[in-house]
Every structure is written in structure tokens, then in C-alpha cells.
Amino acid sequence: MNADHEIAILELGISRKGEMEKLTRIADLDIGLITNISETHLEHLGDIQTVAREKEDIFIDFNSSDHYAILNHDDYYCRRMATGLRCPVITFGLSEEAHYTATQIEPAGQTGYWFTLHYPEGQTRLYLNAPGKHNIYNALAAIATARSLGASLKAIQVGLEEFHLPQMRLEIHTSSILEENVTIINDTYNASPASMTGALSALQEMAGPNRTIALLGDMLELGNFSVTAHENIGIEVVNQGLDLLFTIGTLASNIGRKAIEAGMKTDEVIHCQDIVEAAELLQTTIREGDFILIKGSRLMQLDLLAAQFIGGIRPTKLIIDLEAIAHNIRKIREIVGSNIKIMSVVKSGGYGHDSRKVARVVLENGIDYLAVAVPDEGVFLRKSGFESTPILVLGPTLPQEAIKVVKYRLAQTVHSLPVVAELNKEAEKKGVQIPVHVKIDTGMGRIGLLPDQVESFFDTLVGFNNISI
């Protein structure tokens, strides 16, 4: 940011108690917006009541007319929150009591909606260029915020018409796979019970009379609510009248089980062990005109699965020559000799082409170590039989993922002391040493320590008893 900027829009994301209060005071907000209160990040927050209390801290220093709270009037917890605030409250929703509301909502093909906006000064007809009826709420929240900042209706109209959802959020692709025209809805950025329900509704609305297929993965960080949340999605699948259901992941299997209990036929529910099996089964199932939703939490990496089918838009084909990889590794080994250790990077699921096959070939031909992008890729390899091979996680890891790194005996690159502290704590519980490699930013400007941070980082790092550098 510089002196030319007038407005900063910040997302204050939390997953633990106390984080919202800290972030709010760092940001020094003028306006606070809560779109809804739902079952997210329950792994550490525990229940939805705690989520509501923590999110309310966004308004902790709002005590005058110089601040505005913008809240979803249709959300029970937001309505309760509004009664205790010490600043002006602006509401949005589909109920007529809200300051900003929408009526006469009409789908405009598969890509958006027309709706009538009712606002304090009158009403107008607007077009939202985004699929999914739940995005009407997001539009109303944006409108209320923009109006509080003095934006004109014309500017808002243009903004809604030119809006495009970010990547992997209800992305619509018309693909040609096995010469069958199908529509892929790529919503793999992340998943919560609320967003999963919204995506299933969007799938059914877009598909119309066409056959609907949902491929759903685990929803993570839901704590004790995990099983119930997945069961509720199984019921929603049946309520929406979906034709076929594929699930991936231990938690997602509860979606399929509950869908069958709620009336779906057993041959309409297919559980897959991984994205490789899912891709194979889905490809044999697809037929002309199908609408396919792919959705799950980010760490499930369903974006790799979606990419395989979205790629059908173009007549491209990639062949992985495992023998050529084997030959190259043998040649490298011949050059460097037997005393030099070699690491092979098989991150991103072998770049979408099954890391198990690539890992097996490289290890059989002289590789000593494997490297992956995130802990879950290392866990996948461990569960696939690579139990003793050293595996290094290259990408940034969240503190709450330390338990996986320790449990599955992975090595971790680090540049964050909170991550090191969590790794040390989990390693101490197990009575083991965790190997770490320090990531230094040598000029790429991506991740890692800056050169002037290295010495102090190492001074602290050597104090952790269960960390091996």
C-alpha cells in the first residue's frame, strides 16, 4: 500500500481463540463485515457458539458513529450480535427487515442472476455475474459495504456485472472427455458445511434436466462435529436429487453412508481410495450432458483431479515415460558417483500423474530421498508403502499440521518459529527427533528467511531439544 490507496479490504481469517482480537487491533478497522456464522474451524474453536463469540471480536473497539458493523440479518448469530454493539449496524439479507435485500431473483443461464435490490433510498434491478444462489448474499454484503463508503449505484452495477469468481470457486468448464460434452464445476478451493450445501444447490440449479454427479472430499477442521457434518451433507445430496455420488477420504465416506440411509441406491454411491481411483472410475461413468461438481477441503487436492478433466477442453495429451525417468536417474548417479545423495521431487501428486508410480521408479534407480509440497502428500506416500524412505516437505506447513509431520516421520523445511515450536512439542510427546531444513529466500521473493534473519533464527532454533537441523 502507498499514499495513493484510499481503501484497504482485509480478510481476517481465524481458527483459534484470541486470533480475531489480535488481528482487529493490528488492522485498526473502520468497518467490520460478517457474512455469516457457520460450522468452520471447529477443530480448535469447538462449537458454533464459540465461533460466533470469536468473530464478534472484530467489533471489539467499535464504540462510536465513526465505525460501521455490517451483518447478515438472516443469520441467527449475527442478529444476536447486532443487539449488543456500540456502533451503527447495517444489515443485509433476503428478509424484508434488512437494510439491503433482494427480491425477484431469477437465474440468467448458468453464470449469474438478475435480482431487484431494495435499499434505504429505493430499489433497482441488478445483474450478478456469479453462479450459485448463495452468492446473492455475498453481493448484498458487498453492496452494503460499498454504499457505506459512498459508492454510487452505477459503480456497484458495473462491479457486479464485471465480477468474476476467483479460481477454483464454482469455476464452470465445458469439457470434452472421451468425446462426451460435460460440464465440470470446479469448486475445490476449500469446503465447509455451508459452502458444500451451496455448491450442491448450484449444481442442481445449473444442470436442469441433465444428470448430476458430485465428487466430494473430506471437509477438514470440524473437530467433534466432523462426522455429523458429513452425514448432513449426505442427506443434502439426497434432498437435492443428485444422480451419482463419488466420495474421497475417510470423513467423506460418511456422506455416502448417510446418503444410502436416506434413500440413495447403493450402486449410485461410490467411495474412492484416492484421486487416481476417482479419476479412473469417473472417466468410465461420464456420459453426454453430465454436470459434475468437484469439491472438498484444500488439503484433499481435488484441484488436481479437476485439472485432469478440465484439460479435456483442449486436445492435449501428456505421456509420462517412466523408463526415460529411470534412465536419466541412472545417468545422474553415474556422473555424481555412489557417495552423493540425490533427492527427487515428486510434489503435487507427481504433478497430477500419480506420485506413487514416479516415486517407485526413482527409488528403484538410485534416488535416496523424496520431496513433496505439503504434509498430506508425504502422508499419502507413507500410506502407499514408502515407509522407510526419507521424505522432505518443501512447502510452508501450518502449525496445526505438525502432528502429521511427526506421526508419519517426515522431514520439514522451516522458516517460521511457531511451526518449529509445534514440531518440537509433538516430537517431544513421541520422544523422537524431527529433522528440519531451514528455508532461506535467496532472491525469489516467495518463501523463506531473508539473509539478515538467518542468524537470529538459528540462535533460537538450536534451543529446541527435539529438532534436528
Side-chain angles (χ1 to χ4, degrees):
M1 292 177 61
N2 56 48
D4 294 329
H5 291 103
E6 298 178 3
I7 299 169
I9 301 174
L10 309 175
E11 179 183 8
L12 306 188
I14 64 168
S15 60
R16 295 170 185 261
K17 292 180 180 179
E19 290 180 338
M20 183 61 81
E21 181 179 351
K22 292 178 183 177
L23 290 172
T24 298
R25 287 185 164 145
I26 291 170
D28 190 20
L29 304 172
D30 299 295
I31 297 172
L33 161 67
I34 296 179
T35 53
N36 61 66
I37 305 292
S38 62
E39 295 91 348
T40 57
H41 305 298
L42 299 185
E43 184 176 5
H44 298 291
L45 292 175
D47 53 47
I48 192 169
Q49 290 81 12
T50 304
V51 173
R53 284 195 298 271
E54 291 300 311
K55 288 196 173 185
E56 187 173 359
D57 279 348
I58 196 173
F59 307 118
I60 195 166
D61 292 326
F62 282 32
N63 51 22
S64 72
S65 59
D66 294 333
H67 299 95
Y68 289 94
I70 300 177
L71 295 168
N72 183 345
H73 186 78
D74 296 350
D75 185 286
Y76 168 76
Y77 293 99
C78 285
R79 286 200 306 276
R80 283 187 57 183
M81 201 179 292
T83 61
L85 295 180
R86 297 167 295 169
C87 66
V89 175
I90 301 171
T91 60
F92 64 92
L94 298 186
S95 60
E96 61 183 19
E97 293 87 0
H99 295 109
Y100 291 84
T101 187
T103 61
Q104 296 175 291
I105 302 169
E106 299 175 2
Q110 297 173 8
T111 58
Y113 292 91
W114 284 99
F115 66 95
T116 298
L117 169 69
H118 300 264
Y119 59 105
E121 295 81 22
Q123 65 182 55
T124 188
R125 194 75 172 157
L126 296 173
Y127 172 72
L128 170 64
N129 185 42
K133 196 171 183 179
H134 58 284
N135 277 316
I136 295 291
Y137 276 98
N138 293 327
L140 291 171
I143 292 167
T145 305
R147 290 289 286 174
S148 71
L149 290 167
S152 68
L153 278 176
K154 182 61 178 177
I156 289 170
Q157 177 186 356
V158 173
L160 294 179
E161 290 176 355
E162 296 182 351
F163 174 72
H164 292 282
L165 286 169
Q167 287 187 331
M168 299 187 291
R169 293 183 188 267
L170 288 180
E171 279 187 337
I172 301 172
H173 299 267
T174 302
S175 182
S176 178
I177 307 168
L178 298 177
E179 300 182 356
E180 305 290 348
N181 291 318
V182 302
T183 299
I184 307 289
I185 303 170
N186 178 12
D187 199 29
T188 56
Y189 182 81
N190 219 332
S192 66
S195 69
M196 191 77 86
T197 299
L200 289 170
S201 176
L203 167 65
Q204 195 68 314
E205 188 171 275
M206 290 184 212
N210 294 290
R211 191 172 71 150
T212 50
I213 302 173
L215 198 154
L216 307 179
D218 290 354
M219 299 181 291
L220 304 178
E221 297 185 42
L222 293 176
N224 294 332
F225 186 61
S226 291
V227 173
T228 300
H230 288 81
E231 289 177 339
N232 290 343
I233 296 302
I235 296 171
E236 184 65 22
V237 165
V238 175
N239 290 342
Q240 290 290 344
L242 267 64
D243 297 298
L244 285 175
L245 171 65
F246 289 77
T247 59
I248 301 177
T250 304
L251 291 172
S253 65
N254 293 294
I255 300 175
R257 174 179 56 78
K258 197 65 177 181
I260 292 172
E261 291 177 8
M264 213 166 179
K265 296 177 181 177
T266 55
D267 61 354
E268 295 172 341
V269 178
I270 302 160
H271 184 68
C272 308
Q273 296 302 313
D274 51 46
I275 62 174
V276 176
E277 181 184 8
E280 292 172 352
L281 291 173
L282 189 58
Q283 194 147 344
T284 62
T285 304
I286 290 170
R287 68 188 189 206
E288 183 78 24
D290 284 346
F291 277 68
I292 304 168
L293 168 69
I294 303 176
K295 185 169 180 64
S297 281
R298 191 73 184 91
L299 289 176
M300 296 303 293
Q301 295 188 296
L302 297 189
D303 55 309
L304 299 178
L305 174 64
Q308 295 184 45
F309 291 93
I310 293 168
I313 295 171
R314 297 179 297 274
T316 57
K317 192 172 185 179
L318 179 62
I319 298 173
I320 304 299
D321 189 339
L322 294 175
E323 183 50 45
I325 293 175
H327 171 270
N328 291 344
I329 290 169
R330 291 194 296 267
K331 200 68 179 175
I332 292 169
R333 173 59 69 196
E334 181 183 316
I335 294 168
V336 302
S338 59
N339 294 327
I340 302 296
K341 301 292 186 182
I342 306 174
M343 176 179 287
S344 179
V345 179
V346 292
K347 67 179 185 179
S348 300
Y351 292 96
H353 297 282
D354 195 349
S355 59
R356 296 170 300 183
K357 292 180 182 178
V358 177
R360 193 168 293 114
V361 167
V362 298
L363 290 170
E364 288 172 351
N365 287 276
I367 289 294
D368 304 287
Y369 307 110
L370 298 174
V372 295
V374 294
D376 282 81
E377 293 177 357
V379 172
F380 176 71
L381 288 173
R382 286 279 186 252
K383 290 182 175 180
S384 299
F386 300 91
E387 297 180 1
S388 59
T389 305
I391 300 175
L392 173 66
V393 180
L394 294 173
T397 292
L398 299 173
Q400 54 264 40
E401 292 180 288
I403 189 169
K404 298 177 187 175
V405 175
V406 174
K407 180 179 179 180
Y408 290 96
R409 309 177 315 283
L410 306 175
Q412 177 67 52
T413 56
V414 295
H415 63 279
S416 162
L417 288 175
V419 172
V420 174
E422 284 297 315
L423 287 169
N424 187 72
K425 183 177 76 174
E426 294 298 332
E428 189 175 25
K429 290 178 186 176
K430 297 285 187 181
V432 298
Q433 291 281 312
I434 287 297
V436 301
H437 296 242
V438 177
K439 175 70 175 176
I440 300 173
D441 183 358
T442 56
M444 291 287 287
R446 296 170 65 185
I447 58 173
L449 299 168
L450 296 175
D452 61 357
Q453 298 173 320
V454 174
E455 186 174 346
S456 62
F457 187 89
F458 269 92
D459 288 343
T460 306
L461 189 60
V462 296
F464 289 98
N465 296 327
N466 291 80
I467 296 295
S468 173
I469 304 172

